[in-house]
Amino acid sequence: MRLAEKRARFEKEKKIYDSALLIFQGVDGFDVYNCSIPFTWQGETYIYGRVEKRDEWARSWAMLFRQTGKDTYTLVPGSMIYQLEDPFVSIIGEELVLGGTHVRYECGRMANYYDYFYKGTDLSDLFYFTTGPDHMKDIRLVELPEGVGVFSRPRGADVARKYGSESIVGFTVLHDLKELSPDRVQQAPMVEGLFERGEWGGCNQCYLLGNGQIGVIGHKSYHADGPEEEPLQIYLNTAFVIDPQTGRCVYEQILATRSCYPDGPAKKPNLIDCAFTSGLVPRLDGKADLYSGLGDTMEGRVTIDDPFAPFGGIVK
């Protein structure tokens, strides 16, 4: 079934228990969007946000915010600022790993982009330790009993010719975080069957589940006709489950669409239906809070049924 058809079915059956826009204090005049998930570190809850002016593009900074109220986050004074887009976090061993997309310019034009990775135990002093492959975003990590699971997102002309998709997802397992290199990420075997022709997507946050499988909160996308000449870029919040032994997808569903969140502006007209997923945080009541960037201008939250409950729930 095509993604647009799945989306239409989801809209008729969706269950959204609560929705809100996140408030970010200390960055007046800037939008904050496409954030990491909220995470707890040394007794405090934080979030990394992509900070950018509304009329600018690919001129972003990833900044650290501390939770100071319900759905409210305040900039941490003096915290490190990273020239990154779409920050994400993972806990590997005793260290926090921060990643994000770095865009490189030459003579005023975008020449390349790749994921940068930092790690450490002190949020004010994380160390850069590796870079992902050229022209690849959305590399994600998850700690496993046997090592570190790595999800890739290859794209390009070769991918489009072979799979009919703008980007796809790969998966591999490393023995240690020290093995994370561009070559190892690039060589990750593809996860087959995630996308139909003309669709694309990637991973946003990954979790070890109670049954030993890997839960992924991701995004799937497609183009649609819009009011302007430029087609709409439709981004949906999705979940899927991977068997780490076979690398195969065993479960998949749509979690939320842009219409599930409160209304708000988009950076460009073709992004009015864009919900770029951040990740999922389990709740004590058995439900889960799903976070997502919205229209490249805001970050939102919805409360949904936990998609991973049938798989033993999120272990870490």
Side-chain angles (χ1 to χ4, degrees):
M1 184 185 297
R2 303 286 297 178
L3 187 55
E5 298 174 54
K6 293 180 182 178
R7 189 252 178 90
R9 176 181 293 181
F10 167 82
E11 297 287 7
K12 295 178 181 179
E13 302 173 350
K14 63 187 177 184
K15 291 182 180 179
I16 305 297
Y17 300 101
D18 185 30
S19 66
L21 295 176
L22 271 57
I23 298 169
F24 292 93
Q25 299 176 335
V27 285
D28 292 347
F30 290 82
D31 292 329
V32 183
Y33 65 100
N34 292 10
C35 300
S36 74
I37 57 167
F39 62 96
T40 300
W41 195 253
Q42 297 178 349
E44 297 276 6
T45 299
Y46 298 94
I47 195 170
Y48 280 100
R50 175 176 175 174
V51 181
E52 189 174 60
K53 290 185 177 180
R54 180 71 54 85
D55 60 351
E56 295 182 340
W57 179 81
R59 189 167 180 259
S60 304
W61 295 272
M63 298 184 181
L64 182 65
F65 298 81
R66 182 174 61 87
Q67 186 174 28
T68 52
K70 181 176 174 59
D71 298 319
T72 300
Y73 294 82
T74 300
L75 184 68
V76 176
S79 56
M80 294 180 69
I81 298 174
Y82 304 86
Q83 195 168 6
L84 298 174
E85 299 178 355
D86 307 343
F88 54 90
V89 295
S90 302
I91 308 297
I92 308 294
E94 300 299 320
E95 294 184 305
L96 181 130
V97 177
L98 167 68
T101 301
H102 178 78
V103 178
R104 182 168 64 82
Y105 277 80
E106 291 181 2
C107 301
R109 295 184 178 182
M110 187 176 72
N112 202 346
Y113 57 85
Y114 22 67
D115 279 351
Y116 277 178
F117 292 87
Y118 300 79
K119 65 178 181 177
T121 57
D122 182 353
L123 294 186
S124 65
D125 194 20
L126 298 178
F127 289 84
Y128 163 77
F129 73 98
T130 196
T131 300
D134 289 356
H135 301 293
M136 186 183 294
K137 303 180 180 182
D138 301 340
I139 301 166
R140 295 297 188 266
L141 311 175
V142 58
E143 186 174 33
L144 304 174
E146 65 273 24
V148 179
V150 180
F151 288 88
S152 66
R153 188 180 181 264
R155 64 180 300 176
D158 291 343
V159 170
R161 280 193 297 268
K162 184 174 181 179
Y163 296 95
S165 301
E166 183 176 319
S167 69
I168 53 177
V169 168
F171 172 73
T172 192
V173 178
L174 310 179
H175 289 101
D176 188 274
L177 195 60
K178 295 177 182 178
E179 298 178 8
L180 185 64
S181 68
D183 286 345
R184 290 299 301 273
V185 175
Q186 193 75 62
Q187 293 166 9
M190 297 303 100
V191 178
E192 303 288 347
L194 279 179
F195 307 102
E196 300 287 344
R197 297 188 69 85
E199 301 170 359
W200 72 95
C203 304
N204 297 85
Q205 194 71 30
C206 309
Y207 309 83
L208 177 64
L209 303 181
N211 68 351
Q213 295 178 323
I214 302 172
V216 177
I217 300 298
H219 62 278
K220 296 186 78 171
S221 312
Y222 63 98
H223 288 123
D225 293 336
E228 307 285 339
E229 291 185 4
E230 191 173 5
L232 293 179
Q233 295 190 43
I234 313 295
Y235 277 71
L236 311 177
N237 304 153
T238 64
F240 57 94
V241 174
I242 295 293
D243 182 340
Q245 303 303 317
T246 65
R248 298 182 64 86
C249 177
V250 299
Y251 170 85
E252 179 191 356
Q253 75 173 88
I254 296 173
L255 297 181
T257 63
R258 178 63 186 89
S259 65
C260 297
Y261 297 87
D263 292 338
K267 196 177 189 76
K268 299 192 299 181
N270 69 328
L271 296 175
I272 59 173
D273 203 355
C274 174
F276 184 76
T277 320
S278 293
L280 191 79
V281 178
R283 294 163 53 107
L284 295 178
D285 61 7
K287 294 182 172 57
D289 285 328
L290 175 68
Y291 292 83
S292 179
L294 305 171
D296 280 10
T297 63
M298 304 173 295
E299 184 77 14
R301 175 188 61 79
V302 292
T303 303
I304 61 173
D305 291 319
D306 188 342
F308 300 135
F311 303 90
I314 293 172
V315 176
K316 58 180 177 179

